Amino acid sequence: MNLKLLGSSLIIAGTALGAGMLAIPMVLAQFGLLSGTILMLVIWSGTTYAALLLLEASIKVRGGLGMNTIAKQSLGKGGQLITNGLLYALLICLLMAYIIGAGDLVHKMVLNLGLDISLVQSQILFAVIAGGIVAAGTGVIDKLNRVLFLLMLAVLVITLFALVPNMSLAHFFTATNDSSIDLIKTSAVLFTSFGFFPVIPSLVSYNENATHAQLRNMVLLGSLIPLVCYLLWLYAVVGSLSYEQLTQFNNVSELINVLATRFEGIHVILSIFTGLALLTSFFGVALSLFDQNIDLFKQNRAVTYVLTFILPLLGAIFAAEKFLAVLSYAGLIMVFIAVFIPMMMAINLRKSEGKTQTAISNDEYYEVGGGQIAMMVCFSFGLFLIGAQVI
């Protein structure tokens, strides 16, 4: 895999690997590491297969930076309208969350430097600068993201090594909750932790000369990296703290405070990790929305820059509290846009190819393996996620 494809894998991984990773041990610890690991592998397998279906549709359509063109050619005008509506609802909500979170971090950093600017000004500053980087193109994001992601991994490795001396193997085999319903409820949290699918069409266009096998490996590697990071962090925290300690925490800040008693510098290190994770996730989601707008509106990059960031920024400034209620539905939206819609795209494109009976050479054809059985499993996976959301 060349550097461009490796960088694309890191964009996928960075989009998925958000600050929410820190909360995963608090969610899964009560069920024991075996159940938590199995559930995470199930969620990873389902989301990765659905992402490969979107990759298949992107390759077969052969054009379009966003899901707009793919949906138009595979689902028709009605499907295009539904896809765009769900995608915009999800991406705008996510960007609002990132702008709110990043604005708060920027505000604290600037205050520590002795500069007096408001929280709103910090949000605007972040959106303008980070948005400008996104508008510069996928190549710029690729190169910057490589540096940011490697720094994030270095911070994570330092944290893991710091926690290892205090780990207890006895904690690994402790499970205090054997409720299958409670375990299923956590699926919603884990599913959103692998939300990298929107960036795939952009990366297919960015790697236009790559083979289908290379693109497939790009997606697989990009999804595997966050899985490994999530599991290592889960094992490190669960091994370091007892279940009784973990259940006392109301938020991630309290978890970090307890870990800080064992490793003095963990506050600073995890703050850096949170900021980097938020930034890499922002770049992935913002790139997806930017390219979607180019694909849909066919405007120059300056106009697309405004179209992409004006609504998330205004929402972050004026509707932050109301937005939090809307964000609770983001997981349900994501099930449809990340699982069911890619599945329908792939099914329709395969049917279309069968009707035309066009001879396609092996080097020009790509189809995710598994056939109808895998499709049925993918559909069941989507229903499982909806059940986890509404329980």
Side-chain angles (χ1 to χ4, degrees):
M1 183 178 286
N2 58 38
L3 283 178
K4 192 174 180 181
L5 284 162
L6 177 60
S8 297
S9 291
L10 295 183
I11 290 176
I12 290 174
T15 303
L17 195 62
M21 163 188 168
L22 301 180
I24 286 178
M26 297 169 59
V27 173
L28 291 180
Q30 59 186 307
F31 305 103
L33 287 182
L34 179 60
S35 296
T37 300
I38 291 174
L39 180 61
M40 190 173 292
L41 288 173
V42 168
I43 300 298
W44 171 78
S45 299
T47 52
T48 301
Y49 181 81
L52 290 173
L53 291 177
L54 180 57
L55 174 67
E56 176 184 330
S58 301
I59 290 172
K60 287 179 177 177
V61 166
R62 298 181 184 178
L65 290 169
M67 291 182 70
N68 172 66
T69 296
I70 304 170
K72 182 179 180 180
Q73 295 191 30
S74 61
L75 302 177
K77 290 186 177 180
Q80 178 190 19
L81 182 62
I82 293 172
T83 299
N84 285 342
L86 291 173
L87 186 64
Y88 276 106
L90 177 65
L91 296 184
I92 289 174
C93 279
L94 291 176
L95 284 185
M96 284 173 61
Y98 295 143
I99 290 173
I100 291 171
D104 183 56
L105 289 176
V106 170
H107 186 234
K108 292 177 181 177
M109 289 173 55
V110 172
L111 289 179
N112 289 335
L113 293 175
L115 300 176
D116 185 18
I117 67 173
S118 68
L119 180 60
V120 171
Q121 289 173 325
S122 299
Q123 291 173 346
I124 295 172
L125 181 65
F126 172 79
V128 169
I129 296 176
I133 295 172
V134 172
T138 308
V140 174
I141 295 176
D142 176 16
K143 294 178 177 61
L144 178 59
N145 187 76
R146 292 179 204 175
V147 176
L148 295 175
F149 198 87
L150 291 176
L151 286 174
M152 186 165 59
L153 287 183
V155 169
L156 180 61
V157 169
I158 291 172
T159 306
L160 293 176
F161 273 106
L163 296 178
V164 166
N166 295 302
M167 290 173 63
S168 170
L169 290 178
H171 295 167
F172 289 155
F173 305 101
T174 303
T176 60
N177 189 342
D178 58 359
S179 170
S180 299
I181 298 298
D182 289 343
L183 180 62
I184 290 172
K185 287 180 181 178
T186 66
S187 300
V189 176
L190 299 179
F191 176 58
T192 55
S193 298
F194 291 102
F196 57 82
F197 77 95
V199 79
I200 290 175
S202 298
L203 296 178
V204 171
S205 296
Y206 179 54
N207 294 282
E208 58 184 353
N209 296 321
T211 66
H212 299 163
Q214 288 176 323
L215 292 172
R216 178 202 61 209
N217 293 338
M218 171 193 78
V219 173
L220 291 176
L221 177 61
S223 69
L224 188 62
I225 291 172
L227 172 67
V228 172
C229 291
Y230 292 151
L231 289 175
L232 288 177
W233 175 247
L234 173 65
Y235 298 159
V237 174
V238 171
S240 300
L241 301 173
S242 67
Y243 169 72
E244 288 74 19
Q245 289 175 299
L246 286 169
T247 54
Q248 294 175 358
F249 305 141
N250 295 315
N251 52 56
V252 174
S253 297
E254 294 179 6
L255 168 63
I256 294 175
N257 288 336
V258 172
L259 291 176
T261 62
R262 305 187 178 197
F263 178 42
E264 185 176 350
I266 205 166
H267 267 294
V268 175
I269 289 177
L270 290 183
S271 295
I272 294 172
F273 176 86
T274 300
L276 291 172
L278 192 152
L279 191 56
T280 57
S281 295
F282 173 86
F283 282 144
V285 172
L287 174 64
S288 305
L289 184 57
F290 189 89
D291 285 347
Q292 171 74 3
N293 285 333
I294 287 182
D295 192 23
L296 180 61
F297 297 110
K298 304 294 191 296
Q299 298 294 320
N300 61 46
R301 303 191 76 82
V303 173
T304 305
Y305 169 68
V306 176
L307 290 173
T308 300
F309 297 105
I310 189 65
L311 282 180
L313 180 58
L314 291 176
I317 293 173
F318 297 110
E321 294 182 1
K322 294 180 180 178
F323 145 76
L324 292 176
V326 176
L327 190 61
S328 63
Y329 296 98
L332 193 57
I333 294 173
M334 189 171 162
V335 175
F336 285 94
I337 194 70
V339 178
F340 291 125
I341 286 180
M343 188 175 67
M344 290 304 301
M345 288 175 173
I347 289 173
N348 286 354
L349 287 170
R350 291 177 189 183
K351 287 181 179 178
S352 176
E353 289 169 349
K355 288 179 181 179
T356 56
Q357 295 182 343
T358 303
I360 303 176
S361 61
N362 289 331
D363 61 337
E364 294 179 350
Y365 186 78
Y366 174 74
E367 183 174 301
V368 185
Q372 292 297 321
I373 294 177
M375 284 293 188
M376 291 174 62
V377 173
C378 185
F379 182 75
S380 300
F381 174 69
L383 294 180
F384 169 78
L385 291 173
I386 291 177
Q389 297 277 348
V390 301
I391 288 177

